[in-house]
Amino acid sequence: MAKPAQGAKYRGSIHDFPGFDPSQDAEALYTAMKGFGSDKEAILELITSRSNRQRQEICQSYKSLYGKDLIADLKYELTGKFERLIVGLMRPLPYCDAKEIKDAISGIGTDEKCLIEILASRTNEQIHQLVAAYKDAYERDLEADVIGDTSGHFQKMLVVLLQGTREEDDVVSEDLVQQDVQDLYEAGELKWGTDEAQFIYILGSRSKQHLRLVFDEYLKTTGKPIEASIRGELSGDFEKLMLAVVKCIRSTPEYFAERLFKAMKGLGTRDNTLIRIMVSRSELDMLDIREIFRTKYEKSLYSMIKNDTSGDYKKALLKLCGGDDDAAGQFFPEAAQVAYQMWELSAVARVELRGTVRPVDNFNPDTDAKALRKAMKGLGTDEDTIIDIITHRSNAQRQQIRQTFKSHFGRDLMADLKSEISGDLARLILGLMMPPAHYDAKQLKKAMEGAGTDEKALIEILATRTNAEIRAICKAYKEDYHKSLEDALSSDTSGHFKRILISLATGNREEAGEDRDQAREDAQVAAEILEIADTPSGDKTSLETRFTTILCTRSYPHLRRVFQEFVKMTNYDVEHTIKKEMSGDVRDVFVAIVQSVKNKPLFFADKLYKSMKGAGTDEKTLTRIMVSRSEIDLLNIRREFIEKYDKSLHQAIEGDTSGDFLKALLAVCGGED
């Protein structure tokens, strides 16, 4: 077992068993396996309650007492996934890794995901122990076996990782950071083709501390995260390996949280992955993995294992997990900062926002107006031309086309488009043709007209727009509908929800930076209204008003600091606590504000994913977001989408829509990631 660094807190879920007696445990296991059938409950209870070091002592005592191999007896008595898990726990970690790699490269085909997971995540010391264990267990050279079973750049990077020679010096040279950024940029983005050797050398040998600074500088220099360049420049298993290396350098526990989530989401469970991670991380960083898992996926690892597995296998996995984190969103005190560190790395704070639709070069409104008239004249409609022109012009250019169309033909382009196209395509194209503020105003009007109110649309727009955007929407609403947006909201909503929406619709959010003293006061108010503060300091009504004021009027940088102070003060996450303590539309609007503050592109990526998942598509939400974010941050949304859902927005649209609507959406999407 790898020991934590001097002064570091132990973050495993399995500890040495107090009052340990290896002979007594060996005897208990022998009794559990003696005779007809075996006492699986006793086996799992004992083995999951001992550390790996203690299990090795039990193996030795078992051999001394009974002249038998404990692992062989366990294999004989147990079956299936439960056997694989228990036997995995009985091996020293380097031998467990060696067995996993041997299985991954034996027989027909290779389990590349297993190779990537192990070799991308282990420390130098763990790699050296793995190589030695492989040699000892199989009398073969691991490097030679990997070379024999893989090829190309994927093979080269695996061999580099197998050397276990990553630099470990935490003293970072700023000059070398800049040089590596330039070398990576020139090897990928600036080069016709890609110089894979530079990626292999830098990502395979530099220290973690150094590479984290390289990634930060790369983002500042190129405007895109290193992951986006890897996806654009590399491919196949090599691309997956390099992305895994980057994830492990950023945060190994976050990498494993993501692997565990993917092992259990959807139909079927990837049990080999689940077992391998639960066994290998149980004495290293399981508490951190659990913490990140709950923060990132809004459910505990414990509850997901419980719902996705069964029988003794489930019981053993839950023991390794070590506890349920779903208690009202509470953090372990030691890990309370993990969540906020994730937020501070968010794209909102660091990434330049970029749309996918930009002004076209050599723009000629006269030519475009004529082409559109021709596409709609006579029998039939040339939808391809309409889609091509409108999705490849900026909104400002589209307004020029409208004016030119009116001047040339004395006709209203919007009216002509309405008469020629229909359905989802019409909604998308006409949406793109409207000035953004008028488009948002129309979406708000639609959300409030007729029977019932579309609260989700009201929340999505009002909780995410900037002051300037809100003021432009209010002006457009008045122009188009001869009524103020505030009056419309007052007529169509009620109670506390109405007050929140009207507060957002004033467009008076502060735009200054953070105020730490004020942030602590604001965090205290949040703690009191969410009923997790020790001492309430005011009546409920005034607290509600103050809480609304904080979320609806404080600047984004200030609110990020409030959320951090809230975690420090309470060991709770504000978003999870709002979800637990509040309900209905009030909860939904506050959650939308918090998510937007944390990472607005991720908020929209989630909305897009939900609009397309499951049976049926929510075309209105899909269209609204694609239109409204196309020139603001759709490129950032795409990156968040693929990062969270392991598929590109382009692929999701392709799998969920069809015909001309599909063509237009893909054009607005702007590319495949």
Side-chain angles (χ1 to χ4, degrees):
M1 178 183 123
K3 290 180 181 159
Q6 192 93 25
K9 291 197 171 167
Y10 179 70
R11 301 298 294 151
S13 54
I14 300 292
H15 301 261
D16 280 341
F17 188 75
F20 172 63
D21 183 335
S23 298
Q24 194 177 311
D25 285 351
E27 196 175 322
L29 287 171
Y30 183 76
T31 304
M33 292 187 284
K34 200 166 67 172
F36 188 70
S38 54
D39 184 350
K40 296 183 181 65
E41 188 84 36
I43 293 169
L44 85 83
E45 186 61 38
L46 192 150
I47 289 174
T48 58
S49 300
R50 307 297 185 268
S51 67
N52 193 278
R53 179 187 61 76
Q54 291 175 331
R55 292 182 209 122
Q56 304 319 308
E57 291 187 44
I58 296 169
C59 279
Q60 289 165 358
S61 291
Y62 194 90
K63 189 79 168 230
S64 302
L65 287 169
Y66 306 108
K68 298 174 73 150
D69 181 67
L70 176 53
I71 289 181
D73 279 5
L74 287 166
K75 277 186 178 177
Y76 181 78
E77 291 292 333
L78 309 176
T79 57
K81 296 173 284 196
F82 181 54
E83 177 222 319
R84 189 179 177 94
L85 176 61
I86 293 297
V87 168
L89 287 168
M90 292 307 302
R91 292 191 177 100
L93 183 58
Y95 285 83
C96 196
D97 279 351
K99 174 74 166 63
E100 290 292 324
I101 286 187
K102 185 77 168 68
D103 289 348
I105 56 180
S106 294
I108 298 167
T110 305
D111 181 354
E112 289 86 1
K113 287 181 179 175
C114 172
L115 290 180
I116 290 169
E117 180 199 295
I118 292 174
L119 297 181
S121 66
R122 301 310 192 244
T123 64
N124 287 345
E125 184 187 353
Q126 289 166 341
I127 291 283
H128 297 151
Q129 290 171 352
L130 160 62
V131 171
Y134 192 91
K135 186 81 170 173
D136 181 51
Y138 306 111
E139 298 180 353
R140 297 178 65 87
D141 181 67
L142 178 53
E143 185 180 320
D145 281 0
V146 166
I147 288 171
D149 212 63
T150 57
S151 61
H153 299 298
F154 178 58
Q155 177 199 88
K156 287 174 191 166
M157 185 61 177
L158 289 176
V159 169
V160 167
L161 294 173
L162 273 170
Q163 306 314 301
T165 53
R166 185 177 295 287
E167 295 162 1
E168 293 180 333
D169 187 0
D170 279 344
V171 178
V172 177
S173 156
E174 285 183 23
D175 290 343
L176 187 56
V177 167
Q178 293 296 342
Q179 186 60 54
D180 281 350
V181 168
Q182 194 58 34
D183 288 348
L184 286 170
Y185 191 39
E186 288 174 2
E189 298 287 333
L190 293 182
K191 189 179 174 70
W192 180 259
T194 307
D195 182 359
E196 290 86 357
Q198 278 289 20
F199 279 85
I200 290 170
Y201 173 68
I202 293 169
L203 294 181
S205 65
R206 300 286 192 236
S207 73
K208 285 191 167 189
Q209 182 65 20
H210 173 88
L211 284 170
R212 285 181 196 122
L213 291 173
V214 168
F215 299 160
D216 288 345
E217 286 303 313
Y218 189 89
L219 183 63
K220 287 178 194 167
T221 303
T222 67
K224 61 163 70 174
I226 188 71
E227 291 91 337
S229 290
I230 288 171
R231 286 193 185 101
E233 298 297 326
L234 313 180
S235 62
D237 293 322
F238 181 46
E239 174 197 339
K240 288 173 191 155
L241 173 59
M242 298 307 256
L243 286 172
V245 168
V246 170
K247 282 176 183 172
C248 287
I249 283 158
R250 289 198 189 278
S251 168
T252 305
E254 187 172 352
Y255 170 71
F256 281 114
E258 187 181 302
R259 291 280 295 154
L260 285 168
F261 180 74
K262 287 175 182 171
M264 291 182 279
K265 76 169 186 175
L267 288 172
T269 304
R270 300 200 221 353
D271 293 291
N272 287 356
T273 301
L274 180 55
I275 291 166
R276 185 170 58 243
I277 297 172
M278 295 303 290
V279 168
S280 66
R281 309 315 291 186
S282 60
E283 295 183 46
L284 296 174
D285 51 7
M286 185 56 69
L287 298 189
D288 292 328
I289 292 168
R290 272 170 43 183
E291 193 57 54
I292 290 171
F293 192 99
R294 207 277 319 286
T295 303
K296 196 165 181 177
Y297 301 112
E298 300 181 5
K299 65 177 80 178
S300 69
L301 176 59
Y302 188 97
S303 67
M304 198 158 182
I305 290 170
K306 197 172 175 181
N307 293 330
D308 213 64
T309 58
S310 60
D312 294 318
Y313 174 53
K314 172 170 83 173
K315 288 178 192 169
L317 286 170
L318 292 177
K319 288 275 287 182
L320 294 181
C321 186
D324 191 354
D325 308 312
D326 265 352
Q330 186 169 15
F331 289 97
F332 302 109
E334 304 92 344
Q337 294 313 305
V338 171
Y340 197 78
Q341 284 162 12
M342 287 166 65
W343 307 338
E344 288 214 313
L345 290 172
S346 78
V348 180
R350 307 186 326 139
V351 180
E352 176 196 353
L353 298 179
R354 293 174 64 195
T356 53
V357 175
R358 299 177 187 86
V360 72
D361 294 333
N362 305 315
F363 171 60
N364 187 327
D366 190 64
T367 305
D368 285 348
K370 286 175 182 170
L372 286 169
R373 176 71 179 135
K374 186 180 175 188
M376 294 185 282
K377 206 169 160 189
L379 200 62
T381 307
D382 180 357
E383 285 90 355
D384 284 346
T385 296
I386 293 170
I387 291 167
D388 185 54
I389 291 174
I390 290 173
T391 61
H392 291 98
R393 305 295 182 268
S394 68
N395 195 276
Q397 290 176 332
R398 292 182 208 123
Q399 303 318 310
Q400 289 186 56
I401 296 169
R402 280 180 74 175
Q403 290 168 353
T404 306
F405 196 89
K406 190 78 170 241
S407 301
H408 275 345
F409 308 112
R411 300 172 67 92
D412 179 16
L413 176 55
M414 294 287 277
D416 280 7
L417 286 167
K418 265 187 193 173
S419 69
E420 292 292 329
I421 55 178
S422 60
D424 295 325
L425 177 65
R427 256 198 301 271
L428 178 63
I429 293 296
L430 292 169
L432 289 167
M433 288 303 304
M434 293 179 76
H438 290 266
Y439 179 72
D440 277 348
K442 184 176 183 183
Q443 297 306 304
L444 291 169
K445 179 78 164 64
K446 283 189 164 191
M448 291 184 280
E449 67 188 7
T453 305
D454 183 352
E455 290 86 1
K456 287 182 180 175
L458 295 180
I459 291 168
E460 179 203 300
I461 295 169
L462 294 174
T464 61
R465 301 311 192 246
T466 64
N467 285 343
E469 287 166 343
I470 290 282
R471 287 168 196 157
I473 292 167
C474 288
K475 187 180 172 196
Y477 199 95
K478 186 83 172 171
E479 280 176 23
D480 295 345
Y481 308 113
H482 312 294
K483 183 179 185 179
S484 75
L485 176 57
E486 185 178 326
D487 287 347
L489 290 167
S490 291
S491 305
D492 208 67
T493 58
S494 61
H496 197 30
F497 181 55
K498 175 175 84 174
R499 290 194 292 277
I500 297 164
L501 292 183
I502 288 173
S503 178
L504 291 171
T506 58
N508 283 328
R509 189 176 290 286
E510 294 162 2
E511 294 183 351
E514 63 184 61
D515 177 335
R516 291 204 174 213
D517 292 336
Q518 182 66 57
R520 279 188 282 275
E521 282 181 39
D522 290 346
Q524 180 66 32
V525 170
E528 288 169 17
I529 194 71
L530 295 170
E531 298 181 346
I532 53 173
D534 294 332
T535 51
S537 63
D539 69 272
K540 186 85 172 176
T541 306
S542 73
L543 278 172
E544 282 179 359
T545 304
R546 287 173 69 192
F547 187 60
T548 300
T549 301
I550 290 163
L551 285 184
C552 295
T553 68
R554 302 285 196 254
S555 71
Y556 273 26
H558 179 82
L559 282 173
R560 278 197 282 278
R561 180 60 59 191
V562 171
F563 300 159
Q564 185 173 31
E565 294 299 330
F566 185 89
V567 171
K568 285 178 185 170
M569 191 179 289
T570 68
N571 287 333
Y572 283 77
D573 166 46
V574 72
E575 182 184 337
H576 286 277
T577 313
I578 288 170
K579 285 176 179 173
K580 181 175 185 297
E581 297 296 331
M582 295 183 165
S583 61
D585 298 327
V586 171
R587 176 198 61 201
D588 293 345
V589 70
F590 281 152
V591 166
I593 293 168
V594 172
Q595 289 177 340
S596 189
V597 169
K598 285 181 181 179
N599 185 338
K600 197 180 286 185
L602 179 58
F603 170 80
F604 283 114
D606 285 340
K607 291 275 179 201
L608 285 170
Y609 178 76
K610 285 169 186 165
S611 77
M612 292 182 279
K613 78 167 188 175
T617 306
D618 178 356
E619 288 89 359
K620 287 181 183 175
T621 299
L622 176 58
T623 301
R624 185 171 60 242
I625 295 173
M626 295 296 286
V627 169
S628 64
R629 310 314 294 181
S630 60
E631 292 184 54
I632 299 172
D633 55 2
L634 190 51
L635 193 61
N636 307 80
I637 293 166
R638 269 171 41 185
R639 288 171 186 160
E640 295 292 347
F641 194 99
I642 195 169
E643 192 64 35
K644 182 160 181 181
Y645 298 110
D646 211 27
K647 71 158 120 177
S648 68
L649 177 57
H650 189 282
Q651 287 172 315
I653 291 169
E654 220 168 22
D656 214 65
T657 59
S658 60
D660 292 322
F661 182 49
L662 165 67
K663 286 181 198 169
L665 282 172
L666 291 182
V668 174
C669 182
E672 167 65 286
D673 297 304

